[in-house]
Amino acid sequence: MADDGPLRIIHCFRSPIGGIFRHVRDLAEFHAKAGHDVGIVCDSLTGSSYEDGLFDEIRPYLSLGLTRLPISRSISPRDIGAFWSSYHEIKSLQPDVLHGHGAKGGAIARLIGSALRVNRYRVARLYSPHGGSLHYNRRTATGMAILTAERLLERLGDALVFVCDYEREAYAARVGRPRVRAERIYNGIHDRDFEPVYSREDAVDFLYIGMLRDLKGPDVFVEAFARTERRIGRPLSALMIGDGPDKAKYEDMMLRMGLGRRIGMLPAMKAHDAFALTRNVIVPSRAEAMPYIVLEALAARKPVITTRVGGIPEVLGRDSIALTEPGDPDGLAALMARAITDADWPRRVMPEPTGFKASFSASTMSGALLDLYRDILTRQTGGNRHST
C-alpha cells in the first residue's frame, strides 16, 4: 500500500443501535466516497427491522462486507466464540485499520489487531470509547473489573480517539492517564443534515427520541412533562420515539400518571423525520459522551433542552440556559415551561450556525480520522502488510 493509496478499514462495535451506529455509518459513507474499502463487524443479537433498513442503506459503501456475530452486552463465555469467529473473518479481509467503538468493539479491534501484529501484519489499532465503560466507577466490583480491563487493553492499541474533551477527561479519571496516543475528534453529522426541519401544524410541544433505557432519562422526561403541565396550567403534548429494554416500564409510568393520551409512543425512526413532529427536542440523559441527537437537532434548527453531562456543554456552551442537571425533573420542567412561554427561546439557545457546522460536520470528522489512520501506519516500522 502506498502511503497515499486506498485503505482497508474495518469498524468493530457491539450494538447496531444509537449513536455508535450512526457514527460508523457516516464514517463508512465518507471513507468509501473517498476511495477506501470499508467493512463492519458487529452484533447479530440486537437491532430491529429499523436497523436492518439502515444496514441496507449503507451496504453499497461496505466493499469489505457486513459481518454480524453474536456478541453479548456483558462479559460471557460466548465471547470466546465470537472473538474466534471475528479473528478469522477479519484476517481474511486483510485490513489496514481496525477501529473499535465501545468497550466490546474496542476489545475486538485491539485483541485481533495485536494477534495480526504478532504475524508481522501492519495494521492500525484504534479505540473510541463513546462513553460506554466510562460510565462505571471503581467503587463497584463490576466497575473495577471493566476499568481494569480497559487499562490492560490500552497497550494493545495504537491510539485512543475521544469524541469530546469530557470523554478524554473521564478516561483519565477512571482508567488513568493514557499511555498511548490520544486524540480528540468531535462527532460530526452529514452536510445534508444541516438544513432546517419545519414543524408540522399538528406538531407536539416536546419530543424525546432515543433508546428507552434509564441511562437516557425517559423517566425524567415523563415526570418533567407532568410538572410542566402543572406550571403552565394547561394540557401539553409530547412524543417518545425509540426502542429499548425499559419501554414497558415507561408505558406503565405514563398510565399511572394519567398521561397516556398526551404522551404518544412511536418506534424508532430517522431523527430528521421525527423533528417535523415537534417544536422542542428534550435530551434528559443521566450520562453521555457526545450524543448525536443533540447535534442533529441543532443542525435541523430545533431548540434543544438537555442535561449538563458529557460533551453536551461543549456543543451548546458551558453557560447555556438550555442546560439543567441530570436526574432533576423539576429543573427540566422549568426549562420546558420557558420554551413554551418565551417566544424568543429558540434564538436564545441555538448556537451560531457557521461555527457549529465547522466544528461538528462529518466531513471534518472523517478527514481527521483518515489523517490519523495514515499517520499511525506511516509510523509503524518493520513488518509487511498482509503477511500471514
Side-chain angles (χ1 to χ4, degrees):
M1 177 195 70
D3 285 342
D4 59 349
L7 297 175
R8 298 173 68 83
I9 304 165
I10 295 178
H11 294 282
C12 308
F13 57 99
R14 190 190 69 83
S15 176
I17 295 175
I20 289 180
F21 190 27
R22 167 64 192 268
H23 183 78
V24 172
R25 294 200 314 272
D26 283 344
L27 289 177
E29 178 181 345
F30 274 77
H31 289 166
K33 287 180 176 178
H36 304 284
D37 295 304
V38 183
I40 285 176
V41 173
C42 70
D43 175 43
S44 60
L45 301 173
T46 51
S48 63
S49 58
Y50 172 69
E51 282 74 32
D52 290 340
L54 295 178
F55 275 123
D56 289 339
E57 289 182 7
I58 63 167
R59 283 181 196 277
Y61 303 113
L62 301 179
S63 57
L64 298 183
L66 167 65
T67 301
R68 300 194 68 177
L69 304 164
I71 306 171
S72 60
R73 181 173 182 176
S74 58
I75 298 173
S76 78
R78 288 187 301 180
D79 290 342
I80 297 173
F83 274 73
W84 184 247
S85 298
S86 299
Y87 172 76
H88 284 287
E89 183 66 30
I90 288 172
K91 183 179 179 182
S92 71
L93 294 173
Q94 300 183 322
D96 299 304
V97 177
L98 284 175
H99 192 159
H101 305 266
K104 278 294 182 73
I108 291 172
R110 289 179 289 181
L111 288 169
I112 292 176
S114 297
L116 294 174
R117 290 277 287 271
V118 168
N119 294 316
R120 298 180 62 77
Y121 182 116
R122 189 169 76 134
V123 58
R125 305 157 299 172
L126 298 95
Y127 170 45
S128 295
H130 295 282
S133 58
L134 303 185
H135 297 318
Y136 292 87
N137 63 66
R138 293 185 178 273
R139 291 192 295 272
T140 66
T142 300
M144 174 65 78
I146 290 173
L147 296 173
T148 298
E150 287 280 15
R151 195 59 161 172
L152 292 173
L153 286 168
E154 187 181 79
R155 289 290 195 185
L156 300 181
D158 297 300
L160 297 164
V161 182
F162 299 111
V163 298
C164 58
D165 290 327
Y166 167 83
E167 188 176 66
R168 175 160 41 191
E169 293 161 3
Y171 186 96
R174 292 174 171 82
V175 179
R177 190 166 299 281
R179 296 175 296 187
V180 297
R181 183 172 182 176
E183 302 285 345
R184 189 267 283 147
I185 298 175
Y186 279 132
N187 279 347
I189 56 177
H190 204 290
D191 289 350
R192 62 173 172 256
D193 294 323
F194 286 89
E195 293 291 338
V197 175
Y198 298 103
S199 301
R200 295 181 354 181
E201 288 188 8
D202 60 347
V204 298
D205 298 306
F206 303 110
L207 169 71
Y208 171 93
I209 177 171
M211 289 189 68
L212 298 178
R213 54 184 293 220
D214 284 350
L215 185 72
K216 300 296 184 179
D219 56 322
V220 182
F221 173 73
V222 173
E223 178 62 36
F225 176 84
R227 297 188 187 195
T228 304
E229 286 193 326
R230 291 196 290 271
R231 282 174 176 265
I232 298 296
R234 61 179 173 85
L236 299 171
S237 58
L239 272 175
M240 296 179 69
I241 297 177
D243 299 305
D246 297 322
K247 180 178 180 180
K249 180 171 71 174
Y250 306 135
E251 289 176 326
D252 290 343
M253 180 181 180
M254 288 187 291
L255 289 174
R256 289 196 312 271
M257 299 176 69
L259 300 173
R261 293 187 176 183
R262 299 197 296 284
I263 302 180
M265 295 195 80
L266 293 174
M269 67 172 68
K270 291 183 178 179
H272 186 274
D273 296 334
F275 292 151
L277 305 177
T278 190
R279 299 182 182 87
N280 298 280
V281 176
I282 312 300
V283 183
S285 299
R286 290 180 167 89
E288 289 285 0
M290 177 61 80
Y292 268 97
I293 192 61
V294 171
L295 302 180
E296 291 172 310
L298 293 174
R301 306 302 294 160
K302 288 292 179 180
V304 174
I305 297 170
T306 182
T307 47
R308 194 182 300 277
V309 295
I312 294 175
E314 296 173 47
V315 180
L316 285 171
R318 298 187 186 279
D319 298 323
S320 172
I321 60 172
L323 295 173
T324 187
E325 297 306 313
D328 178 12
D330 200 54
L332 185 60
L335 296 184
M336 292 166 68
R338 288 188 65 182
I340 290 294
T341 57
D342 182 357
D344 204 33
W345 179 257
R347 186 191 64 79
R348 290 171 179 267
V349 300
M350 301 290 277
E352 190 279 316
T354 302
F356 173 73
K357 184 175 182 179
S359 296
F360 299 104
S361 70
S363 55
T364 298
M365 171 185 70
S366 61
L369 277 170
L370 278 178
D371 290 342
L372 178 58
Y373 296 162
R374 289 196 182 280
D375 191 57
I376 291 171
L377 290 167
T378 299
R379 290 170 182 267
Q380 290 180 9
T381 58
N384 297 308
R385 178 178 180 241
H386 302 167
S387 65
T388 59

